[in-house]
Amino acid sequence: MRNILKFLTLALLLIQGLVSKAQIDSVRLYLPLDYNKPEEYIIAGIETMGNKYIDKNAIIFNSNLSINQTIKIPGNEISSAIENLWKQDYFSSVIIYAKKIEGDKIYLVISIKERPRLSKFSLRGLGKSESKNLREELSIKAGMLINENLINKTKREITNHYYKKGYYGVKIDVRQDPDTFPNKDILRIAIDKGKKVKVYDIEFVGNDALTDKDLRKTLAKTKRKKGKINLLKSSKFIEETYVEEKDEIVKKYNSKGYRDATLTFDSVVRLSDNRVAIKIGVNEGRKYYFRNIVFTGNNKYSSEDLTRILGIKKGDIYDLSVLEERLIYSQNGSDISSLYMDDGYLFFGVTPVETKVENDSIDFEIRIVERAQAVYDKIKIIGNTKTSDHVILRELRTRPGQKFSRSDIQRSIRELSQLGYFDPQAMGVNPVPNPGAGTVDIEYKVAEKANDQIELSGGWGGNRNQANQGYGQQSYGYGGLVGTLGLTLNNFSTRKLLKPSSWNPLPSGDGQRLSLRAQSNGLFYQSYNFSFTEPWLGGKKPNAFTTSIYRTNQSFDNKPRTDPLKQFIRITGASLSLGKRLRWPDDFFSAFYSLSYSQYNLQNANGAYGLQINTGKSNNIEFKFALSRSSTTEPIYPTGGSSYNFSLAVTPPFSSFSGKDYSSISKEEKFKFIEYHKWKFDAENYTQLFGKFVLATKMRFGYLGYYNKALGLSPFERFMVGGSGLNSFGQLGTEIISLRGYPDRTITQNAVGSGSSAGAAIFNKFTCELRYPLTNSPSASVYFHTFAEAGNAWVDPRTYNPFDLKRSAGVGVRLFLPMFGLLGLDYAYGFDWKTLRSGLTQKPGQFHFFIGQQF
């Protein structure tokens, strides 16, 4: 009887519950146990009960109980075992009791209830895309144990997700349902995000020097709803953003001379479920001014020179940020640090120290430590997997042994960007100074991007023998689909051409450019072009040598080539050119020289394109000189800099020494040798306005003149203005100028009238674009723009009027793919379409498709 009583007492003593992880010893309330004299037992056996998916041995191991272990009852061993199992978080119930007792041996049973695992979860109350975005942020995954921690963590993550978006009243309900799979449950999460919290008003207290409006502008992302005009500006309240932006208020005061300005308080008051008001107290303090600024430690440059560069005069408003910018780094490089570092003083140091504050005036001492000049030691390139090292090194302005120059490093980065082989966003430079030796290693980091291009396209070439735009002239075009196949290798290598093992997958890496292009619509039109450029002729100087040849065949009937009645125009030509970088007036200038020959062979053309030549050959020998200056940041999407280009193309004045009477000879004889002088000037400027917005302003001017009045204007090399500038099919020796908002060539045709359709002798064009990049990565660059432009064309320079322009405006998008180049689509509205000759414009709105860089 005594043993039975002892067994019952121990069983009650060992029962442990879910309510607490502490030892359950409430048995003492029913039995008179003496806790001062606990009895010892040896564990003779341990069983588990209730476990279906968790191994028995794992449960026993985690309990920290073992066979032959001596435990005390009452004691801490059982309560510790229960606590150990609770820590595993696998169980929703843990009980340990004695199955039987034999003398000093005890047999224990661990009874558990396993937690279910997550099968899947659903989000309710959200749209499809919103639910997808939220799922990507949640850490909950199938297979996780479902417990209070998991549910609470999921709720916190959902709350934080919407908190960042301005939803402060999110309500979340989680329901746990059993799945058809054993020990698997489904969580159904219902979300009511409520209304987004808006900032109704932002008020300031204590501000006299700056208005509330001035101070609100400093809060770039925290905007008020009250009095809002710009609907695109969000007024949502995000506490984290607001806390970060509060410091901008003090910085604004500091920039106005109030260096002691502080925020005395700020409060956010909830007006309703979705509206708050912000109130901020300001202590402006006194307004300060610069007084005396002296330099110490400067030996290289005089204090007068440094004062002039600093640009801060006595009495200027105190602004520490301006002082630091003029000392350390300014965007245009006109700071004292740049002055020293461009002359080798890499280890130069400058420290501004306030020496006296008197009333509202502050004196400064600028302490300069010049140290020794540094020179370059090692120049390293990393990241170029395709481009040869020598192609990169020859573009660098930094050479081993030269004096260190920060501007040379910046210019080197620009030159590498202009190559087009590397991603400008991924470029970097890492100087590794060695003060002891007075040297610095420079490590340039580049990332290759694809820049070879394949062109495979088709377009409609128009119908043959149609009336020319409705005013009585015959159009000799060709009809049907025009196919184009082109290949441009922008980083070609002739050196590797005979070494297939070096191809990747083509011979590349030496910076040469090879271009092949063919166009055809079958029997009526074929065009072939080949060009090759060596950018460093001889390998020592950046003298770019280019050679090109081309051939165009255009037929107007189906007759065989040998038929004397066949109608055709054939153009054959070749050119040699040399480009050279200049160092004067500065090293952004370059000169370009070219010599070209082309022959226009016409047979039975019957005045095609207004040439008034039937059968004959016209020869064109042209010498061209171009002077350009380009400081744009990068070729695809410039954000700064400018580009100017002036060119003059001339032919020999054959009529001056031919001895012919041009008033009586035939047209074919008259234009056997073409003569003209052609002047062009292009200018473009890029300015980063705010954020990522870039303003691009451009202008173009072209003039075609002649030497001999009796000979008159050349029928070739004229300007054709209007449209996208792409439709060059069927054009004979003309230059295509885009002017959006009007159909192709209509501006010139309106100026030319019924006299000729060969083109105009003079044109003007002005463009203004506001651009915004959507993405600018090596795989693709996309930007949107809105634009306004105006232009016109004139046949006779005597009628030239730069204020008589055809205007248009519109929007568009540009997409740059390394494989295909620059593609674009614009919609433009031509404001002056009614002033064009009848039949030239069908409607004022025009869509334009672009391939390549248009200007």
Side-chain angles (χ1 to χ4, degrees):
M1 184 69 179
R2 180 182 176 187
N3 290 336
I4 294 174
L5 181 62
K6 182 182 292 187
F7 173 79
L8 293 175
T9 302
L10 290 175
L12 291 174
L13 178 65
L14 296 177
I15 293 175
Q16 307 294 322
L18 179 62
V19 178
S20 171
K21 299 175 186 178
Q23 177 180 6
I24 298 179
D25 55 2
S26 58
V27 68
R28 64 184 178 178
L29 297 176
Y30 304 100
L31 297 174
L33 298 178
D34 187 357
Y35 284 87
N36 293 323
K37 297 180 180 179
E39 296 191 33
E40 290 187 348
Y41 293 91
I42 299 173
I43 299 176
I46 303 176
E47 297 180 12
T48 60
M49 180 180 296
N51 56 307
K52 297 179 180 179
Y53 307 101
I54 300 177
D55 184 68
K56 166 188 175 181
N57 295 324
I59 297 174
I60 296 174
F61 176 79
N62 287 317
S63 71
N64 214 23
L65 297 175
S66 60
I67 302 297
N68 296 324
Q69 179 183 351
T70 301
I71 61 174
K72 290 182 179 181
I73 298 179
N76 294 326
E77 291 86 356
I78 299 299
S79 60
S80 296
I82 293 176
E83 188 172 354
N84 291 336
L85 292 174
W86 271 109
K87 287 180 181 179
Q88 305 308 310
D89 215 14
Y90 294 151
F91 314 108
S92 59
S93 173
V94 179
I95 299 174
I96 300 178
Y97 62 90
K99 182 178 182 180
K100 64 179 178 179
I101 295 176
E102 295 177 350
D104 62 348
K105 299 185 182 298
I106 188 169
Y107 295 84
L108 300 178
V109 176
I110 302 176
S111 176
I112 55 93
K113 183 178 181 181
E114 297 177 348
R115 292 188 186 274
R117 292 184 179 270
L118 180 65
S119 172
K120 57 185 176 180
F121 69 95
S122 63
L123 300 175
R124 297 180 177 181
L126 307 176
K128 186 175 181 180
S129 60
E130 189 176 4
S131 176
K132 180 181 178 181
N133 293 334
L134 178 58
R135 280 179 176 273
E136 292 176 353
E137 291 194 20
L138 296 179
S139 60
I140 183 173
K141 304 295 179 185
M144 288 183 169
L145 286 168
I146 299 178
N147 52 34
E148 289 300 318
N149 288 336
L150 179 67
I151 294 174
N152 291 335
K153 182 181 179 182
T154 302
K155 287 182 176 180
R156 286 196 304 271
E157 290 176 349
I158 295 173
T159 301
N160 291 337
H161 173 81
Y162 284 104
Y163 190 91
K164 294 177 182 178
K165 296 179 178 294
Y167 295 93
Y168 286 9
V170 181
K171 297 179 181 178
I172 305 169
D173 179 66
V174 180
R175 194 179 78 197
Q176 185 173 342
D177 295 334
D179 199 355
T180 55
F181 298 101
N183 201 41
K184 293 287 183 73
D185 280 2
I186 301 172
L187 290 184
R188 307 189 189 276
I189 306 171
I191 301 171
D192 180 8
K193 63 184 181 182
K195 295 182 179 180
K196 184 178 289 187
V197 177
K198 303 278 187 177
V199 179
Y200 175 70
D201 197 9
I202 304 175
E203 297 181 21
F204 294 89
V205 178
N207 56 309
D208 295 321
L210 298 177
T211 65
D212 285 12
K213 182 178 180 181
D214 292 333
L215 296 178
R216 289 190 195 106
K217 289 180 180 178
T218 64
L219 304 176
K221 297 180 181 178
T222 306
K223 299 295 182 183
R224 68 172 185 166
K225 190 175 182 64
K226 180 180 179 182
K228 179 188 288 187
I229 298 176
N230 186 355
L231 298 178
L232 298 178
K233 289 290 186 179
S234 172
S235 59
K236 68 181 180 181
F237 177 71
I238 300 176
E239 185 175 0
E240 183 180 354
T241 301
Y242 165 65
V243 171
E244 293 175 354
E245 289 190 326
K246 284 192 302 182
D247 294 338
E248 298 300 320
I249 299 173
V250 175
K251 291 180 182 178
K252 180 71 172 179
Y253 270 104
N254 293 160
S255 69
K256 300 296 182 180
Y258 296 88
R259 73 163 192 167
D260 300 330
T262 58
L263 301 183
T264 56
F265 70 88
D266 72 284
S267 60
V268 179
V269 181
R270 186 179 289 271
L271 303 178
S272 63
D273 290 342
N274 64 330
R275 285 192 176 187
V276 297
I278 300 174
K279 197 168 187 177
I280 302 174
V282 177
N283 179 17
E284 295 179 332
R286 169 179 275 178
K287 187 173 184 178
Y288 290 88
Y289 302 86
F290 288 110
R291 189 168 62 180
N292 299 317
I293 300 178
V294 298
F295 292 87
T296 61
N298 52 306
N299 297 313
K300 174 68 177 180
Y301 301 101
S302 67
S303 296
E304 291 77 12
D305 291 337
L306 297 181
T307 299
R308 184 173 61 256
I309 294 172
L310 188 65
I312 297 176
K313 302 184 295 295
K314 184 177 181 179
D316 284 354
I317 294 174
Y318 174 85
D319 186 351
L320 189 59
S321 64
V322 172
L323 177 63
E324 292 175 346
E325 178 183 315
R326 305 279 177 83
L327 288 176
I328 300 173
Y329 184 77
S330 64
Q331 292 292 334
N332 58 9
S334 58
D335 56 271
I336 291 175
S337 180
S338 293
L339 178 69
Y340 273 94
M341 288 197 174
D342 286 347
D343 196 28
Y345 290 90
L346 172 62
F347 310 115
F348 155 87
V350 57
T351 306
V353 179
E354 289 186 10
T355 56
K356 189 174 185 181
V357 180
E358 187 173 14
N359 297 324
D360 62 354
S361 299
I362 301 177
D363 294 342
F364 269 91
E365 180 180 295
I366 310 299
R367 298 173 183 175
I368 292 177
V369 180
E370 294 180 342
R371 299 188 178 93
Q373 291 173 304
V375 297
Y376 299 116
D377 186 11
K378 297 176 182 177
I379 308 297
K380 302 178 182 178
I381 310 293
I382 60 173
N384 55 315
T385 57
K386 175 180 177 181
T387 306
S388 302
D389 283 353
H390 75 272
V391 174
I392 301 175
L393 292 172
R394 70 191 183 189
E395 298 292 339
L396 301 181
R397 303 297 180 98
T398 56
R399 299 283 190 272
Q402 291 181 347
K403 284 192 304 184
F404 173 85
S405 172
R406 186 164 68 182
S407 62
D408 282 346
I409 294 176
Q410 294 169 340
R411 183 63 184 277
S412 296
I413 291 293
R414 176 191 176 275
E415 297 300 331
L416 293 180
S417 175
Q418 291 291 326
L419 289 175
Y421 308 153
F422 311 111
D423 175 18
Q425 309 300 319
M427 285 187 184
V429 60
N430 179 34
V432 183
N434 185 352
T439 62
V440 57
D441 296 340
I442 303 295
E443 184 178 83
Y444 291 95
K445 179 184 177 182
V446 298
E448 299 269 10
K449 70 174 184 178
N451 67 334
D452 295 330
Q453 298 172 7
I454 296 176
E455 182 181 357
L456 180 61
S457 61
W460 193 260
N463 294 322
R464 300 176 61 237
N465 300 330
Q466 288 183 334
N468 189 6
Q469 301 295 336
Y471 55 90
Q473 191 171 340
Q474 193 77 1
S475 173
Y476 290 82
Y478 52 85
L481 184 67
V482 178
T484 302
L485 177 62
L487 174 65
T488 301
L489 305 177
N490 289 300
N491 196 1
F492 190 67
S493 173
T494 55
R495 180 174 58 90
K496 299 178 183 179
L497 195 58
L498 300 179
K499 300 178 182 179
S501 60
S502 302
W503 293 19
N504 186 29
L506 295 171
S508 60
D510 284 346
Q512 298 166 335
R513 187 176 187 272
L514 177 67
S515 177
L516 301 167
R517 193 169 187 265
Q519 282 184 309
S520 177
N521 80 328
L523 297 175
F524 297 106
Y525 178 79
Q526 306 91 37
S527 177
Y528 310 96
N529 296 270
F530 166 83
S531 68
F532 174 78
T533 300
E534 168 53 68
W536 283 66
L537 184 63
K540 295 183 178 180
K541 293 184 178 180
N543 297 326
F545 175 75
T546 301
T547 179
S548 63
I549 56 175
Y550 52 90
R551 174 69 180 266
T552 299
N553 299 319
Q554 188 170 342
S555 301
F556 304 108
D557 55 39
N558 293 320
K559 295 181 178 65
R561 289 188 177 184
T562 57
D563 192 327
L565 298 179
K566 183 174 180 61
Q567 296 177 300
F568 66 79
I569 297 175
R570 295 172 185 163
I571 308 172
T572 306
S575 67
L576 299 174
S577 60
L578 182 67
K580 185 177 182 180
R581 298 182 194 176
L582 305 179
R583 295 188 177 182
W584 186 89
D586 62 35
D587 55 7
F588 286 107
F589 277 86
S590 60
F592 176 86
Y593 310 88
S594 73
L595 178 64
S596 64
Y597 169 78
S598 57
Q599 183 185 79
Y600 303 94
N601 186 2
L602 290 75
Q603 179 174 294
N604 302 318
N606 296 324
Y609 310 110
L611 295 176
Q612 301 177 7
I613 302 174
N614 185 38
T615 299
K617 295 181 179 180
S618 296
N619 300 281
N620 184 5
I621 302 174
E622 178 192 87
F623 174 76
K624 183 177 181 180
F625 168 75
L627 181 66
S628 64
R629 184 185 189 276
S630 177
S631 60
T632 55
T633 53
E634 57 182 275
I636 302 301
Y637 187 77
T639 57
S642 59
S643 177
Y644 302 93
N645 184 73
F646 166 78
S647 67
L648 172 62
V650 298
T651 64
F654 296 106
S655 62
S656 299
F657 45 79
S658 66
K660 297 178 181 179
D661 182 5
Y662 287 94
S663 61
S664 59
I665 63 176
S666 65
K667 293 288 185 180
E668 289 78 8
E669 184 66 22
K670 187 177 181 179
F671 294 113
K672 185 174 183 179
F673 286 94
I674 305 168
E675 60 179 57
Y676 57 84
H677 52 92
K678 190 174 185 180
W679 309 71
K680 293 195 300 180
F681 178 72
D682 300 339
E684 53 188 295
N685 186 76
Y686 300 91
T687 305
Q688 190 157 1
L689 299 179
F690 50 88
K692 296 182 179 181
F693 285 97
V694 174
L695 179 66
T697 54
K698 309 177 184 181
M699 71 86 61
R700 294 193 71 179
F701 171 80
Y703 169 68
L704 182 68
Y706 54 85
Y707 305 116
N708 191 332
K709 287 185 178 181
L711 183 61
L713 195 65
S714 166
F716 304 99
E717 298 299 328
R718 299 192 189 186
F719 305 105
M720 197 67 76
V721 181
S724 65
L726 268 185
N727 191 358
S728 59
F729 304 138
Q731 300 305 310
L732 190 60
T734 55
E735 186 170 346
I736 311 300
I737 310 297
S738 68
L739 183 61
R740 292 164 287 188
Y742 303 91
D744 292 343
R745 306 183 300 278
T746 51
I747 303 300
T748 292
Q749 291 170 351
N750 183 68
V752 172
S754 60
S756 171
S757 62
I762 188 170
F763 83 93
N764 259 140
K765 180 186 172 185
F766 304 92
T767 302
C768 181
E769 288 185 353
L770 183 63
R771 301 176 171 182
Y772 183 84
L774 182 64
T775 179
N776 195 10
S777 66
S779 58
S781 295
V782 182
Y783 69 85
F784 298 100
H785 63 231
T786 180
F787 60 86
E789 61 185 16
N792 208 345
W794 297 264
V795 179
D796 190 342
R798 292 173 295 182
T799 64
Y800 172 65
N801 180 2
F803 302 102
D804 179 19
L805 302 173
K806 308 302 180 186
R807 301 160 300 159
S808 66
V811 295
V813 61
R814 292 291 182 272
L815 167 66
F816 178 80
L817 297 173
M819 183 63 71
F820 298 100
L822 191 65
L823 309 175
L825 180 66
D826 289 345
Y827 175 80
Y829 184 93
F831 296 105
D832 300 300
W833 64 282
K834 290 184 178 181
T835 66
L836 299 185
R837 195 177 304 276
S838 175
L840 292 180
T841 303
Q842 296 79 30
K843 55 184 178 179
Q846 298 283 325
F847 281 98
H848 302 287
F849 177 68
F850 293 87
I851 299 177
Q853 188 73 44
Q854 299 293 320
F855 182 85

